[in-house]
Amino acid sequence: MHSMNHWGGSFEIHDPTTDDEHSRNMDLDRAALSRQQLDETQQSWLLGPQEAKKKDKYVDLGCMVVKRKVLKWTFYAVLIAFVVIGVPITIAKSIPKHKKAPPPPDRYTEALHKALMFFNAQKSGRLPKNNGIPWRGDSGLKDGSEGTDVKGGLVGGYYDAGDNIKFHFPMAFSMTLLSWSVIEYSNKYKDIGEYDHVRELIKWGTDYLLKTFNSSATTITQIYSQVGGATNDSASPDDHYCWMRPEDMDYTRPVQTANSAPDLGGEVAAALAAASIVFRDDGAYSQKLLKGAAVVYKFARDPGHRTPYSRGNRYIQPFYNSTGYWDEYMWSAAWMFYASGNKSYIQFATDPRLPKNAMAFLQIPDLGVFSWDNKLPGAQLLLTRLRLFLNPGYPYEESLSGYHNTTGINMCMKLQRFNVFNFTPGGLIELNHGRPQPLQYAVTAAFLASLYADYLDAANIPGYYCGPYYFSADSLRSFATSQVNYILGDNPMKMSYVVGYGRNYPKHVHHRGASIPHNGVKYSCTGGWKWRDAKTANPNTITGAMVGGPDRFDRFSDSRPNYNYTEPTLAGNAGLVAALVSLTSTSSSSGVDTNTIFSAVPPLYPGSPPPPAPWKP
């Protein structure tokens, strides 16, 4: 056992005599000192006193005191950061900015620019200086001048086709369709620079439609249905017998009046109501349109005036005969509701008796074809829109769900795999069963399909069912693009059926103004026949006109006398414009404007009751 030192160190006894002796030995042998390991303290004894440390200098900044060295390095760091980061940013911001170039217009935008120009070529009345059609001038300045109930007569509006007649029924439908396309795709029109143009075209039509009845009254008993006219195989001067430029017309132009017009009145109401939404930024004009729409809608719904406007009229029935009016009731009621917010219109549109009378839910293929005569598919899609985005529920749900279901069925019927309608070998759907002028039906079907696809996307619905089969929204776009692409040249004839678009398009369009030279010479009623029957191409290009189209074998005859192939129409071009704007991808905007159409619609169900008053003891 060894004793321990609890405070550290050894118990070895220190003998000072030993140290003295050792020191003497070290003095005698200096070399031993160099061999001995000295610690830091011992070395300091040998080397003498160290130099005094430099004292740090400080800077008083007022709020703090910092070392001068720290302050100096901080300054250098900030300077370096400015050179490395700040200078490049300053230079970058000083360089002139260049906006990213918009994407080049796709084929649909190019065709759309042209298709809208067709309406400029069809204008009647005193034309604006910027109309853009050099071979057109003022015309029809005496139309309706005999009438006493319409101020200024019936000057203005649009000629319907290759003749010089103003058919009010398809004209009103064309304005409704153009307005619908603007309401849904206003941003696209703006992005491609056509917004002001298309609005001007709509206003040209609605200004005229307001003249066709006493729009300042509260109740009317008649409406003008047509200006100009002809009978089949007529042998006296009229709008078919004569081949004259509209500027040169000198024959009598009769005016047709309807004392009963549930169909025409409903369509005019729809056109004015839809346009009132387009022009909401012009409050006075929008209200004028809406007031006129209410007046003519009331006339259309009058139980004592429900004979179709065309019945028994030899100037109308062979050309634009109306086969019914319940579809116009549904169509106009929907537009009146969106334009005014008046619940009575949606209550009527969803009354179960209306679709029953219109045979809307019977799944008849021809009733699924959207046209100037049959508004059912358009009306059902328009009301489906209400269910998709506002979902008002009871008491509207039963009818709205029926419209929604029928809309899906209408879309299914257009798909080639179900063989409801025939297709030409080249892929054009035959919605009029192989009869002439098929393109006007194909474009309206393309518009509804493309629009419904956009509705589904906006509502986050990926697709729809056709019986047990499920299809994505893209299947609708594929159908729409296939039909429009066919019209623009993807067909066996490699022919663009839109004049002025592409390299190969009709040159012998059945159109009086386009076929007669603009040379200052007035050709008589029969003197113009030589231009009608000439084998040469039209001297004036009617840009954007969509002609009637090919036969059911994809064959096309570019012949002026054969109007079934080469005559354009107002309603056909309105459908083309709507389909093109729905499909264009040139715009940075995509999809539909889901809200604007509902801006006048009030809540359709009771709001939450207010909270109870605070309890007081």
Side-chain angles (χ1 to χ4, degrees):
M1 297 283 300
H2 299 280
S3 300
M4 297 182 61
N5 182 358
H6 295 285
W7 291 274
S10 69
F11 282 110
E12 190 173 338
I13 299 173
H14 181 69
D15 186 355
T17 59
T18 307
D19 286 342
D20 291 340
E21 185 178 354
H22 180 70
S23 297
R24 286 193 297 269
N25 291 337
M26 290 293 293
D27 289 335
L28 294 174
D29 187 5
R30 294 284 184 181
L33 181 63
S34 63
R35 291 193 298 268
Q36 186 174 350
Q37 295 293 329
L38 302 177
D39 60 26
E40 208 172 353
T41 303
Q42 291 169 330
Q43 289 180 20
S44 67
W45 295 340
L46 295 175
L47 295 175
Q50 292 181 331
E51 295 182 11
K53 276 189 174 182
K54 292 182 180 179
K55 187 176 182 180
D56 290 327
K57 295 182 179 180
Y58 292 86
V59 177
D60 188 351
L61 297 178
C63 59
M64 65 177 64
V65 178
V66 296
K67 291 183 179 180
R68 179 179 289 181
K69 186 185 293 185
V70 172
L71 186 63
K72 181 176 69 174
W73 284 111
T74 301
F75 171 76
Y76 287 147
V78 171
L79 181 62
I80 293 171
F82 174 74
V83 172
V84 175
I85 300 173
V87 172
I89 291 176
T90 304
I91 294 173
K93 287 189 175 182
S94 64
I95 297 175
K97 293 181 179 179
H98 299 283
K99 292 183 178 179
K100 186 179 179 181
D106 59 19
R107 66 188 307 190
Y108 305 124
T109 298
E110 292 180 7
L112 178 59
H113 290 310
K114 298 179 184 299
L116 286 169
M117 289 303 298
F118 171 74
F119 291 88
N120 293 64
Q122 294 300 101
K123 285 180 179 177
S124 178
R126 198 172 300 279
L127 303 185
K129 293 181 180 180
N130 62 345
N131 192 49
I133 310 296
W135 47 271
R136 281 300 325 278
D138 298 343
S139 64
L141 300 182
K142 295 183 179 180
D143 285 350
S145 58
E146 298 85 3
T148 58
D149 59 335
V150 178
K151 185 179 180 180
L154 294 169
V155 178
Y158 292 97
Y159 300 115
D160 177 67
D163 52 34
N164 300 329
I165 304 175
K166 295 189 290 195
F167 290 101
H168 299 172
F169 193 43
M171 187 194 302
F173 173 70
S174 301
M175 296 304 104
T176 313
L177 204 49
L178 288 182
S179 292
W180 194 6
S181 74
V182 172
I183 293 166
E184 302 286 9
Y185 299 108
S186 59
N187 287 331
K188 286 189 176 185
Y189 277 114
K190 291 174 183 177
D191 287 349
I192 64 176
E194 290 287 2
Y195 183 65
D196 292 336
H197 183 199
V198 70
R199 280 168 45 111
E200 185 270 330
L201 296 177
I202 294 169
K203 190 174 187 299
W204 189 269
T206 53
D207 282 349
Y208 178 76
L209 292 176
L210 287 170
K211 296 179 179 181
T212 63
F213 63 97
N214 187 357
S215 59
S216 62
T218 56
T219 301
I220 60 173
T221 57
Q222 69 172 24
I223 186 171
Y224 291 109
S225 56
Q226 183 174 311
V227 177
T231 57
N232 284 329
D233 302 321
S234 62
S236 58
D238 63 21
D239 282 287
H240 280 183
Y241 181 79
C242 297
W243 195 268
M244 302 179 74
R245 298 176 67 243
E247 293 80 2
D248 299 332
M249 296 182 297
D250 57 8
Y251 48 83
T252 302
R253 287 171 57 77
V255 174
Q256 305 300 314
T257 305
N259 295 316
S260 175
D263 34 24
L264 173 60
E267 186 55 64
V268 172
L272 298 179
S276 75
I277 301 174
V278 172
F279 291 100
R280 281 223 173 104
D281 58 338
D282 182 349
Y285 187 63
S286 179
Q287 285 301 310
K288 182 180 181 181
L289 291 171
L290 187 55
K291 181 180 181 299
V295 171
V296 73
Y297 178 87
K298 179 181 176 182
F299 168 69
R301 290 279 293 123
D302 187 341
H305 299 83
R306 292 193 179 176
T307 301
Y309 91 107
S310 57
R311 183 173 297 176
N313 190 316
R314 63 194 184 107
Y315 292 102
I316 300 176
Q317 193 165 356
F319 309 107
Y320 284 103
N321 181 49
S322 173
T323 56
Y325 55 82
W326 292 103
D327 55 323
E328 277 84 22
Y329 279 178
M330 186 185 301
W331 176 243
S332 59
W335 280 116
M336 290 298 297
F337 172 64
Y338 288 141
S340 69
N342 188 323
K343 292 184 181 180
S344 66
Y345 295 117
I346 192 61
Q347 288 167 353
F348 174 65
T350 56
D351 186 319
R353 292 172 293 183
L354 178 56
K356 182 179 179 180
N357 288 327
M359 298 184 291
F361 299 155
L362 297 185
Q363 301 180 20
I364 300 173
D366 285 352
L367 293 183
V369 178
F370 188 38
S371 71
W372 55 265
D373 181 37
N374 179 35
K375 318 299 165 35
L376 273 180
Q380 290 167 343
L381 180 56
L382 194 61
L383 290 164
T384 296
R385 190 191 210 284
L386 180 65
R387 185 172 190 256
L388 286 174
F389 299 121
L390 293 188
N391 193 19
Y394 179 84
Y396 313 105
E397 173 61 18
E398 181 179 357
S399 290
L400 291 181
S401 63
Y403 295 144
H404 191 173
N405 181 59
T406 304
T407 293
I409 293 172
N410 288 338
M411 300 301 166
C412 297
M413 288 181 180
K414 308 302 188 299
L415 300 182
Q416 191 168 3
R417 65 175 294 175
F418 294 114
N419 298 314
V420 176
F421 292 96
N422 291 329
F423 285 71
T424 68
L428 178 69
I429 191 169
E430 297 181 53
L431 293 171
N432 63 338
H433 306 289
R435 290 190 289 269
Q437 302 178 352
L439 298 188
Q440 61 177 305
Y441 306 100
V443 290
T444 52
F447 170 59
L448 292 191
S450 178
L451 181 59
Y452 187 44
D454 283 342
Y455 284 175
L456 294 177
D457 286 349
N460 294 317
I461 301 173
Y464 62 103
Y465 280 96
C466 294
Y469 305 102
Y470 183 80
F471 293 90
S472 69
D474 286 338
S475 65
L476 297 172
R477 292 192 183 91
S478 295
F479 165 75
T481 55
S482 71
Q483 299 308 296
V484 174
N485 289 348
Y486 181 102
I487 293 168
L488 296 183
D490 295 352
N491 55 66
M493 296 289 292
K494 303 302 178 186
M495 168 78 76
S496 163
Y497 294 116
V498 178
V499 176
Y501 177 83
R503 296 182 178 179
N504 185 27
Y505 53 82
K507 307 295 194 304
H508 303 78
V509 180
H510 182 93
H511 191 276
R512 285 158 175 76
S515 64
I516 300 175
H518 178 53
N519 56 9
V521 176
K522 178 181 177 179
Y523 296 93
S524 67
C525 171
T526 57
W529 287 1
K530 69 175 183 178
W531 302 113
R532 178 193 66 189
D533 302 330
K535 303 299 181 183
T536 55
N538 287 353
N540 307 310
T541 301
I542 183 163
T543 301
M546 185 184 74
V547 297
D551 63 18
R552 60 194 181 95
F553 301 107
D554 298 305
R555 297 175 304 201
F556 180 79
S557 174
D558 189 6
S559 166
R560 194 177 299 111
N562 197 336
Y563 58 87
N564 283 333
Y565 290 104
T566 59
E567 186 171 23
T569 65
L570 209 63
N573 256 72
L576 174 66
V577 166
L580 289 169
V581 75
S582 73
L583 292 173
T584 181
S585 59
T586 300
S587 168
S588 59
S589 304
S590 61
V592 293
D593 178 348
T594 58
N595 298 320
T596 296
I597 199 172
F598 297 132
S599 57
V601 175
L604 296 179
Y605 40 83
S608 300
W615 179 80
K616 293 183 179 179

